[in-house]
Amino acid sequence: MKTYLFYDLETTGLHKAFDQVLQFAAIRTDLQFNELERHEFCIRLNPDVVPSPFATITHHIGIDQVKDGLSEYDAMKKIHAIINQAGTISLGYNTLAFDDEFLRFSFYRNLLAPYTHQYANGCGRMDIYPLTIMYHLYKPDVISWPKIDNKISFKLENISNENQLAKGRAHDAMVDVEATLALTKKLATDTRMWTYVKSFFTKNGHQEHVAKLAFSLQTKNTRFRESLIINGKLGYRANFVAPALFLGNHETYKNQLLWLRLDLPELRKATVEDVTENTWVINNKLAEPGFILPTNERFMKNISSERQETYEENKRWLQDNPDVLDAIVKHYTAYTYPEHQNIDVDAALYTSPFPNQEEMQDASDFHNATLTDKQNALTICAAQTCNRAPYAYSAEISLRLYQKYSAKNFMGI
């Protein structure tokens, strides 16, 4: 059965690799938003983590409150099981930009599969924050919009207060979950819009929307589709929306779609020799924001007349300078991220290969072992690089894990 899992994290800070989760809350519902179950628990502070003062001011979780609770290891096993339940669509407010990636790193350093909740057993993800921006632009009557300094505020606490979505202090994990669920119910009342935006959170749905876009520009060998990109990263100045030309999929990162912004006058300064200085290309992963719309007149209303003129001028310029456009495509579709040496083992998630079946079985055996057997296994692997260690981890991470499991204040024994 498909279910939604609305969840929220409170953490020691913003660094996904080195901070940790302190509070987890979740409400599972059916697809009509009827509550099925809820989870809420606190996590004990690791001895090697120092909470950020700014995080503490935000969520009000003091040092005296993080002396008790589940160990991070036990908490991550529990969260991993909840979020990986078959058919779970996990979602929250700004989860894809923060909470989801935070969980990936937390799963990774505790020898749990970091990506399975995204695709395995019918699971998937959504994010209510970018949906809220989309509704503001094209369906603004669904909720009331708070204003701070004469600008619309998209902070969940302000939207919640304006629409009386939840009671309690903002940045308490369960209060934020309740507010997100209540907000989602309001957004989903416009069923046509809800169905449209929801479809972007599957790869097939996302690709189908791209395939429906009209071609607007053609060079000797290639035809290019154009679209409006709606993305919070574009910011208030662009009203979160920009016309863009679809350059294609990345050659190496197959899940990435590349979009060249067409509303910036600097574009016309690009040359074949230097295409990076004056171009802005948006990397958009399949099944993740931003959303796309055709460049129809009714959707262009959120773009100023000045930017619309620039967009038209840029299209004509690219048509007249196909060699520059070709250079832009070749550069961005082939560009790969630089490699960094001596990465801290806790931050090495994206440089590590996906675990194979044998490594996953090793990790499962490790989780099912007694504490003594865990320590013995890690002691052996800490002495030498061990090919049979969970996820084939090196001696460095084996030693770090051994130190954690040997610390009584960490394991609570």
Side-chain angles (χ1 to χ4, degrees):
M1 181 179 74
K2 286 282 188 181
T3 59
Y4 291 125
L5 184 76
F6 292 85
Y7 77 97
D8 184 61
L9 311 176
E10 298 301 335
T11 67
T12 57
L14 299 177
H15 203 295
K16 302 172 183 71
F18 302 117
D19 279 303
Q20 72 161 99
V21 179
L22 293 178
Q23 187 183 32
F24 173 83
I27 297 176
R28 187 182 300 277
T29 76
D30 60 21
L31 298 189
Q32 288 71 48
F33 309 112
N34 299 304
E35 183 174 333
L36 303 175
E37 63 184 28
R38 59 174 58 200
H39 306 270
E40 184 177 14
F41 48 85
C42 295
I43 300 166
R44 189 162 65 251
L45 183 67
N46 287 337
D48 59 344
V49 175
V50 178
S52 160
F54 298 103
T56 303
I57 290 170
T58 300
H59 54 54
H60 299 282
I61 301 175
I63 293 296
D64 58 326
Q65 296 172 267
V66 296
K67 294 178 181 178
D68 300 313
L70 297 173
S71 69
E72 184 193 50
Y73 174 72
D74 289 332
M76 286 307 128
K77 287 201 298 180
K78 189 173 181 178
I79 295 171
H80 194 267
I82 292 169
I83 205 168
N84 277 277
Q85 181 176 312
T88 296
I89 301 171
S90 54
L91 70 169
Y93 199 83
N94 201 34
T95 41
L96 291 187
F98 182 75
D99 306 67
D100 184 84
E101 194 169 8
F102 211 104
L103 285 181
R104 284 186 202 169
F105 277 92
S106 299
F107 292 156
Y108 162 74
R109 68 170 170 262
N110 286 282
L111 303 181
L112 296 160
Y115 299 106
T116 49
H117 65 287
Q118 300 178 203
Y119 66 88
N121 300 316
C123 291
R125 305 172 301 161
M126 290 177 60
D127 192 335
I128 301 304
Y129 165 64
L131 267 73
T132 305
I133 292 176
M134 187 76 164
Y135 273 80
H136 165 64
L137 292 173
Y138 299 105
K139 292 289 182 178
D141 296 334
V142 174
I143 65 169
S144 298
W145 299 97
K147 285 191 175 182
I148 306 295
D149 297 329
N150 294 318
K151 289 199 306 185
I152 297 292
S153 172
F154 291 97
K155 286 188 176 180
L156 179 61
E157 61 185 294
N158 294 332
I159 292 176
S160 180
N161 290 336
E162 181 74 17
N163 294 273
Q164 298 182 328
L165 300 178
K167 296 180 180 179
R169 178 178 52 79
H171 300 292
D172 173 88
M174 184 55 78
V175 172
D176 285 356
V177 169
E178 291 174 341
T180 303
L181 173 55
L183 172 60
T184 305
K185 288 180 179 180
K186 286 182 174 290
L187 299 180
T189 58
D190 190 313
T191 54
R192 185 178 180 184
M193 182 70 159
W194 175 252
T195 300
Y196 183 81
V197 294
K198 190 171 69 168
S199 64
F200 277 94
F201 291 98
T202 66
K203 289 185 178 181
N204 288 340
H206 200 149
Q207 289 172 321
E208 287 174 3
H209 287 297
V210 174
K212 292 177 182 177
L213 295 172
F215 292 102
S216 69
L217 194 151
Q218 182 171 351
T219 60
K220 183 177 180 180
N221 300 315
T222 309
R223 292 196 300 168
F224 295 88
R225 302 179 190 271
E226 71 173 12
S227 170
L228 293 179
I229 299 288
I230 295 89
N231 195 316
K233 293 180 180 179
L234 293 171
Y236 278 98
R237 181 174 295 182
N239 203 18
F240 309 106
V241 57
L245 197 69
F246 181 44
L247 302 181
N249 289 59
H250 197 283
E251 294 175 358
T252 303
Y253 317 119
K254 303 297 185 181
N255 200 38
Q256 281 190 13
L257 311 179
L258 303 175
W259 301 88
L260 173 66
R261 281 188 65 171
L262 296 175
D263 61 331
L264 303 176
E266 295 83 359
L267 174 60
R268 297 191 294 277
K269 297 178 181 179
T271 64
V272 172
E273 292 74 26
D274 184 4
V275 300
T276 61
E277 184 68 24
N278 296 293
T279 56
W280 183 343
V281 170
I282 301 167
N283 293 42
N284 180 205
K285 293 182 180 179
L286 284 171
E288 294 187 12
F291 303 110
I292 61 174
L293 287 171
T295 52
N296 296 342
E297 183 178 351
R298 65 191 181 107
F299 297 133
M300 293 286 286
K301 65 181 182 180
N302 289 298
I303 298 178
S304 68
S305 57
E306 181 181 1
R307 284 205 293 148
Q308 289 191 41
E309 290 175 7
T310 300
Y311 149 71
E312 295 291 352
E313 290 173 9
N314 282 340
K315 282 203 299 180
R316 289 192 292 270
W317 184 84
L318 288 170
Q319 187 70 67
D320 294 338
N321 293 273
D323 53 338
V324 179
L325 179 55
D326 184 57
I328 291 172
V329 173
K330 286 181 178 178
H331 172 79
Y332 285 103
T333 56
Y335 174 82
T336 56
Y337 303 126
E339 293 186 7
H340 299 281
Q341 302 299 318
N342 302 316
I343 299 175
D344 187 286
V345 67
D346 282 348
L349 171 61
Y350 297 140
T351 61
S352 301
F354 285 96
N356 58 37
Q357 289 297 320
E358 185 179 40
E359 292 165 347
M360 291 178 69
Q361 185 59 53
D362 288 339
S364 179
D365 292 343
F366 178 84
H367 293 310
N368 293 326
T370 64
L371 176 58
T372 299
D373 287 342
K374 283 185 173 74
Q375 291 176 324
N376 290 338
L378 291 169
T379 301
I380 294 171
C381 290
Q384 58 184 2
T385 300
C386 179
N387 293 329
R388 291 288 294 168
Y391 289 14
Y393 277 172
S394 66
E396 181 182 1
I397 193 169
S398 297
L399 178 59
R400 181 168 299 190
L401 285 167
Y402 173 68
Q403 291 170 337
K404 283 187 176 182
Y405 290 122
S406 299
K408 291 185 178 181
N409 61 338
F410 180 80
M411 294 302 295
I413 54 175

